[in-house]
Amino acid sequence: MIKIETNESAAIALTKQLVRIDSSDPGAYETEIGAAISAWFAARGIATVKDLVLPGRYNLLARIEGEAEDPGLVYLCHMDTVTLGDGWNEDPLGAVERDGRIYGRGACDMKSGLACAMSAFAAIAACGRKPKHSFSFIATVDEEDFMRGVERVIQSGWVTKNSWVLDTEPTHGQIQVAHKGRTWFELTVNGCTAHASTPWKGADAIAAISAMIVKIREWIDSCPKHEDLGFSTVTFGQIEGGYRPYVVPDHCTVWIDMRLVPPTDTACASRIVEEAIRYGETFVPGAHGSYRITGDRPYVEKHDDSYLLKQLSQVCKKTTAAEAAVTYFPGYTDSAVVAGTLGNRNCMSYGPGDLELAHKPDEFVPCSDILRCEQVLTALAKQILFS
């Protein structure tokens, strides 16, 4: 069971305890951390519900019933982290506090945000009053991989199109309300083998796919810029092909990550890939390309009329005595999946830490960030639920 250390805020103590639990994905996954979260809530008289997503991997739900069930306020957090990795100067599971910072894997992404949400939820539960709206704490699995946890959350009806959904990813003091789309392609080229001394007798699949890569990058770079989200980008993250240097390769596959901004969507990106395939087939006669979409997450635009955005902006100003900048999240989050899948206009991110430090050795979160977010999340819940 997680225990609160003396003379500390609940969220700071929780952050340390959660960082010490390995929940890496792939790796230890979420079984131990999920059990610890459930035990922490149970010690405060708060029941949690488990929902199976993958073998041995469960989403968690704690819920306070309100006078109105929908819309309800939802704090959405993921329990997994990326792998521990190498190159650390600190123990990645040590939760060492030094110079006002807590170090460890997941310190900012997103165990400190998870801790802030838990602390805020427990504070509302301790009030003993029935709120005007329902209040849910949801902890998901698999966010750092295929996001199957939040997909299950949607399927289970734990969130709706009307829910006010806040995830607590690291946002560096900002409210981040928009996301680039994320589309993944698997592009394959088949050619014909030949001896490298007579390459004209074969069809070089690697040469063909190289030509396609060049064209895809050129065309993505020329796509229109969006005023909030900036430019579309493309990364060719993995490539496999060939046998030996002296054999013309007859097969090559590249896996592509596109981050797309309006008006460029997956349909437009697919046309770019198709045109690149035609170009590559002309460049290397006898080569034939094909593709499949392996991931499709739509872009999410800012909605200035969002109720949650208005409430969160007000609370941030009251709590911190400063306006919180409203920007976009560079990656893709669980709340973005909710927004894109359900067309929900009240999904956003606000949490402790800086995303620039996530997934790196010596990841850390400032304790001052944890205190700020703990206060903001608690005040936000009180304002929405009781005012």
Side-chain angles (χ1 to χ4, degrees):
M1 180 186 297
I2 299 173
K3 297 180 180 179
I4 293 296
E5 300 172 18
T6 59
N7 301 319
E8 288 187 303
S9 80
I12 287 178
L14 269 169
T15 297
K16 293 178 180 178
Q17 297 286 349
L18 295 172
V19 167
R20 290 173 186 140
I21 300 171
D22 185 359
S23 59
S24 51
D25 179 3
Y29 296 110
E30 306 90 357
T31 300
E32 184 179 353
I33 195 171
I37 291 168
S38 294
W40 189 86
F41 278 130
R44 286 150 185 81
I46 301 169
T48 53
V49 175
K50 295 199 303 184
D51 189 23
L52 182 66
V53 180
L54 296 160
R57 302 173 70 183
Y58 297 84
N59 288 337
L60 295 179
L61 169 69
R63 183 177 175 85
I64 300 171
E65 300 295 332
E67 294 174 9
E69 290 307 298
D70 193 31
L73 178 63
V74 177
Y75 286 171
L76 181 63
C77 313
H78 66 85
M79 296 180 284
D80 58 328
T81 71
V82 296
T83 55
L84 302 182
D86 299 321
W88 288 77
N89 295 305
E90 304 289 350
D91 178 356
L93 299 176
V96 171
E97 182 179 347
R98 182 181 296 112
D99 300 325
R101 299 170 173 178
I102 298 171
Y103 289 84
R105 176 58 74 223
C108 72
D109 186 14
M110 60 176 298
K111 291 183 177 179
S112 56
L114 175 60
C116 289
M118 290 172 65
S119 173
F121 188 88
I124 298 301
C127 290
R129 299 165 53 192
K130 188 170 187 176
K132 294 179 180 180
H133 299 272
S134 65
F135 185 24
S136 298
F137 166 88
I138 299 174
T140 63
V141 301
D142 196 51
E143 194 274 347
E144 296 291 3
D145 197 1
F146 291 102
M147 295 180 154
R148 290 166 289 192
V150 72
E151 289 175 345
R152 178 63 185 171
V153 166
I154 296 168
Q155 294 165 5
S156 300
W158 288 3
V159 295
T160 73
K161 182 179 181 180
N162 302 315
S163 300
W164 302 313
V165 182
L166 181 68
D167 74 53
T168 55
E169 294 278 4
T171 62
H172 201 44
Q174 301 173 351
I175 302 170
Q176 297 181 337
V177 299
H179 299 261
K180 293 183 179 183
R182 189 195 72 183
T183 306
W184 289 344
F185 293 90
E186 181 182 279
L187 172 58
T188 297
V189 173
N190 292 309
C192 181
T193 58
H195 196 282
S197 63
T198 55
W200 57 88
K201 294 183 178 180
D204 188 331
I206 293 178
I209 216 166
S210 298
M212 297 173 193
I213 286 171
V214 169
K215 286 300 179 185
I216 290 170
R217 181 177 293 282
E218 287 179 0
W219 290 329
I220 289 294
D221 286 347
S222 68
C223 288
K225 181 181 179 182
H226 187 269
E227 61 179 356
D228 291 324
L229 295 170
F231 292 100
S232 295
T233 61
V234 60
T235 298
F236 304 93
Q238 184 180 359
I239 190 166
E240 294 179 358
Y243 305 98
R244 291 288 188 271
Y246 47 81
V247 180
V248 174
D250 66 349
H251 182 86
C252 188
T253 299
V254 63
W255 287 268
I256 306 169
D257 179 303
M258 293 188 186
R259 304 297 168 120
L260 304 176
V261 306
T264 306
D265 57 12
T266 297
C268 179
S270 296
R271 291 192 292 271
I272 287 173
V273 172
E274 290 163 3
E275 186 61 31
I277 288 173
R278 286 191 285 271
Y279 174 82
E281 290 174 342
T282 301
F283 186 78
V284 179
H288 301 284
S290 62
Y291 75 93
R292 66 186 186 100
I293 297 171
T294 59
D296 186 3
R297 305 288 189 194
Y299 47 69
V300 177
E301 296 187 82
K302 179 176 67 176
H303 298 288
D304 291 324
D305 61 347
S306 163
Y307 169 79
L308 182 58
L309 176 58
K310 179 180 178 181
Q311 296 295 314
L312 180 54
S313 296
Q314 289 177 355
V315 169
C316 285
K317 187 173 182 179
K318 289 178 186 177
T319 305
T320 68
E323 298 276 359
V326 179
T327 61
Y328 76 94
F329 196 86
Y332 213 82
T333 68
D334 277 351
S335 69
V337 176
V338 175
T341 303
L342 297 178
N344 186 315
R345 299 165 68 94
N346 284 282
C347 293
M348 56 203 64
S349 304
Y350 182 83
D354 186 346
L355 190 66
E356 292 292 323
L357 301 171
H359 300 188
K360 293 183 177 180
D362 295 328
E363 176 183 350
F364 70 84
V365 61
C367 292
S368 58
D369 271 19
I370 299 173
L371 291 172
R372 168 178 54 80
C373 289
E374 182 181 28
Q375 293 166 6
V376 167
L377 264 61
T378 304
L380 175 67
K382 289 179 178 179
Q383 178 164 304
I384 289 177
L385 299 173
F386 297 124
S387 64

